[in-house]
Amino acid sequence: MVPIILVLLLALILFGAGFALKALWWIAVIVLVVWLLGFVIRPAAHGGKRGRWYRW
């Protein structure tokens, strides 16, 4: 009985980790697209130069 519970627990943990990693990949892709769009769509700064789109 204990080995079956351990195998099911291991399967549950691995499924949860796989789902979390897949979600993190999608979040990383979305952040990358937003970051790249920030370089293309930049507001004009004072003096007509292209400004920075980030604050730091």
Side-chain angles (χ1 to χ4, degrees), residues 4-25:
I4 293 174
I5 292 175
L6 289 176
V7 168
L8 289 175
L9 186 62
L10 181 64
L12 184 65
I13 290 171
L14 290 177
F15 173 75
F19 178 76
L21 287 175
K22 189 168 186 173
L24 286 175
W25 270 111

Side-chain angles (χ1 to χ4, degrees), residues 13-42:
I13 290 171
L14 290 177
F15 173 75
F19 178 76
L21 287 175
K22 189 168 186 173
L24 286 175
W25 270 111
W26 279 110
I27 292 170
V29 167
I30 291 169
V31 168
L32 178 67
V33 168
V34 169
W35 183 66
L36 290 174
L37 282 175
F39 283 108
V40 176
I41 308 170
R42 289 188 291 182

